[in-house]
Amino acid sequence: MSSNLMQNIATVEAGEDRTMVLNMGPQHPSTHGVLRLLLEIDGETIVKIAPDIGFLHTGIEKTYEAKFYQQGIPLADRMDYLAPFSNELGFCLAVEKLLGMEIPERAVWMRVLLTELTRINSHLVWLGTHAMDIGAMTVFLYCFREREELLKLFEAIGGQRMFTSYFRVGGLAMEAPLDWFARVKKFVDTFPEKVDEYEGLLTGNPIWQQRTKGVAHISAEDVIRLGGSGPILRASGVDWDLRRDMPYCGYEKFQFKVPTHPDGDVWARYVVRVAELRESQKICKQALDGMPGGAIKADAPKIILPDREKMKTQMEALIYHFKIVTEGFTVPPGDVYQAIESPRGEIGFYVVSNGTAQPYRVHVRAPSFANLALLPAMCEGKLIADVVAAIGSIDIVLGDVDR
């Protein structure tokens, strides 16, 4: 895809006297990161649009090859600062599949709870910034009010507000603090009222409707053809969600709807994501109500770091800790692809093992990277004033786009 993209960029130049080339970004606030767009415009109409990516220069996939498997979790975090738990989950599930490892039920449910809180967190940032791009400032303040509560919950359980690195291959880093579940329950119980407030500000607002309805339309056929996934796919009427259709982490045990909308425009993507806020709240509530007891780590002393108390009293535990930290743990040779439904769509980890303690190769199917390819289909032939609304409706994170 990258060669085609560069070919498109090379062809974006003023054709006839009536067109001109305009750079948008890579510092434009409404491109949501270091994204540069080359626009060929005829008056206010877009003739051609080409995204130019890669300004972050992360090289994360190559970096995996020089790290132990357990060191890959912070790297997964940093690909998407709005959905660290989702990225950690995808990587951990892929490595656990290579190891043939089963993890305790409590850790599975905790993972579901945290990834759904992550979906709420990510959609809140999307809704607030997307609304502000279009001119609705108050929604931004309301969304970040709830987001702050979520970041406090993430900090309490993982020690970090954003790059939590809380999941582990084989389970979780540690048990939640004593009052953590009560704080989550309080947030979950009051959240539907907050969503009502967002909708009260936007859904019936005639300016919001004029800026979103019929804007940046894309058909279901085009989304599928270009590899789009997640809310952007469901907003074009495609009823597909990996949590329900290819379940992992026991999602088949949870009751939730997969929201869809037939219109395929910015409005439809707004409606779908707001509905997903409500569905994630329901999943969180079920996870809290049915949270099993027991261990949060698999019984695998050569893979999972021992508890600190055991290190102080058991020589064997101290030796395992030293060997895991200094030498890592080996993974049987083979390759695996594991995909999950992140807030932005399908994120998949393709991991190749050669039997050592470091991955031979890691490739990530990142949803923002694939979804950004939909932008030309949404915008070409449309007005330049709608480009900002189109970008916001895709909900990209540039760390997820940069390869």
Side-chain angles (χ1 to χ4, degrees):
M1 178 181 170
S2 58
S3 60
N4 292 336
L5 186 62
M6 293 310 295
Q7 197 172 31
N8 286 338
I9 292 171
T11 58
V12 175
E13 56 185 31
E16 304 172 14
D17 291 341
R18 55 192 292 181
T19 67
M20 65 175 289
V21 175
L22 183 68
N23 272 294
M24 182 176 175
Q27 292 90 15
H28 193 291
S30 294
T31 56
H32 293 224
V34 282
L35 172 66
R36 174 188 176 218
L37 296 175
L38 282 90
L39 309 172
E40 182 186 352
I41 55 174
D42 178 2
E44 295 188 16
T45 303
I46 297 170
V47 177
K48 188 175 288 186
I49 180 169
D52 183 11
I53 62 172
F55 289 94
L56 285 179
H57 305 289
T58 59
I60 281 180
E61 289 174 333
K62 191 66 180 175
T63 306
Y64 269 107
E65 299 169 17
K67 301 291 183 184
F68 295 137
Y69 281 96
Q70 68 265 31
Q71 293 172 324
I73 294 167
L75 293 178
D77 272 352
R78 281 153 179 77
M79 276 187 286
D80 186 347
Y81 63 93
L82 295 181
F85 286 118
S86 300
N87 285 21
E88 292 171 28
L89 178 62
F91 179 73
C92 288
L93 287 178
V95 179
E96 286 162 4
K97 191 181 280 187
L98 276 170
L99 288 165
M101 177 184 281
E102 294 286 334
I103 71 168
E105 192 74 0
R106 181 175 176 80
V108 173
W109 281 60
M110 282 287 289
R111 286 177 171 185
V112 170
L113 174 61
L114 286 165
T115 49
E116 291 308 317
L117 289 174
T118 292
R119 191 180 314 278
I120 293 174
N121 173 50
S122 178
H123 280 7
L124 285 177
V125 175
W126 160 78
L127 180 58
T129 54
H130 181 47
M132 189 168 66
D133 285 344
I134 298 179
M137 181 70 187
T138 307
V139 184
F140 174 84
L141 300 174
Y142 280 30
C143 289
F144 271 61
R145 178 187 60 188
E146 276 68 71
R147 187 205 183 218
E148 181 62 23
E149 292 302 313
L150 284 171
L151 291 183
K152 287 177 181 174
L153 291 171
F154 294 166
E155 184 179 18
I157 198 168
Q160 297 284 338
R161 286 165 61 87
M162 296 177 73
F163 302 123
T164 46
S165 300
Y166 177 67
F167 290 1
R168 293 287 185 275
V169 176
L172 306 171
M174 63 189 77
E175 185 56 86
L178 286 177
D179 64 340
W180 190 80
F181 288 103
R183 292 170 60 187
V184 174
K185 186 175 187 308
K186 182 180 177 183
F187 175 86
V188 169
D189 287 344
T190 57
F191 187 65
E193 304 163 15
K194 312 298 182 185
V195 183
D196 292 340
E197 288 182 356
Y198 313 147
E199 287 213 84
L201 289 166
L202 287 178
T203 304
N205 187 318
I207 300 174
W208 178 254
Q209 293 182 8
Q210 288 170 11
R211 291 299 309 273
T212 57
K213 285 190 174 180
V215 172
H217 173 269
I218 187 165
S219 67
E221 293 75 18
D222 282 343
V223 178
I224 295 170
R225 177 175 59 83
L226 294 167
S229 63
I232 201 169
L233 176 68
R234 294 186 282 275
S236 288
V238 181
D239 187 13
W240 177 258
D241 189 312
L242 286 171
R243 294 173 295 173
R244 183 198 61 194
D245 300 314
M246 297 177 69
Y248 52 90
C249 284
Y251 264 105
E252 66 275 12
K253 300 174 184 174
F254 293 86
Q255 300 295 319
F256 65 99
K257 296 177 184 174
V258 176
T260 61
H261 198 288
D263 289 355
D265 55 8
V266 174
W267 171 262
R269 296 189 270 280
Y270 160 73
V271 171
V272 166
R273 287 198 181 94
V274 169
E276 288 188 359
L277 285 173
R278 298 187 187 279
E279 295 304 315
S280 288
Q281 184 269 346
K282 293 177 186 172
I283 297 173
C284 290
K285 193 169 176 54
Q286 293 172 58
L288 284 170
D289 293 342
M291 183 65 65
I296 57 164
K297 299 176 184 176
D299 183 18
K302 294 182 179 179
I303 295 173
I304 298 170
L305 289 175
D307 293 333
R308 187 156 293 275
E309 191 60 33
K310 285 186 178 177
M311 286 171 54
K312 295 176 181 175
T313 56
Q314 299 177 12
M315 177 57 74
E316 194 177 40
L318 187 63
I319 292 170
Y320 280 138
H321 182 279
F322 180 78
K323 289 183 72 67
I324 292 171
V325 170
T326 57
E327 300 174 5
F329 55 82
T330 58
V331 172
D335 62 305
V336 66
Y337 178 77
Q338 174 67 49
I340 69 160
E341 189 75 32
S342 91
R344 265 158 284 288
E346 177 182 340
I347 181 167
F349 284 82
Y350 177 63
V351 182
V352 181
S353 169
N354 57 1
T356 67
Q358 295 169 322
Y360 177 75
R361 185 77 177 92
V362 174
H363 175 67
V364 183
R365 192 273 180 205
S368 293
F369 179 72
N371 290 346
L372 186 60
L374 309 179
L375 189 63
M378 288 180 184
C379 294
E380 288 177 358
K382 313 290 174 54
L383 295 176
I384 190 172
D386 293 331
V387 171
V388 168
I391 295 171
S393 73
I394 296 175
D395 188 23
I396 54 170
V397 167
L398 265 297
D400 206 33
V401 172
D402 188 282
R403 296 266 61 82

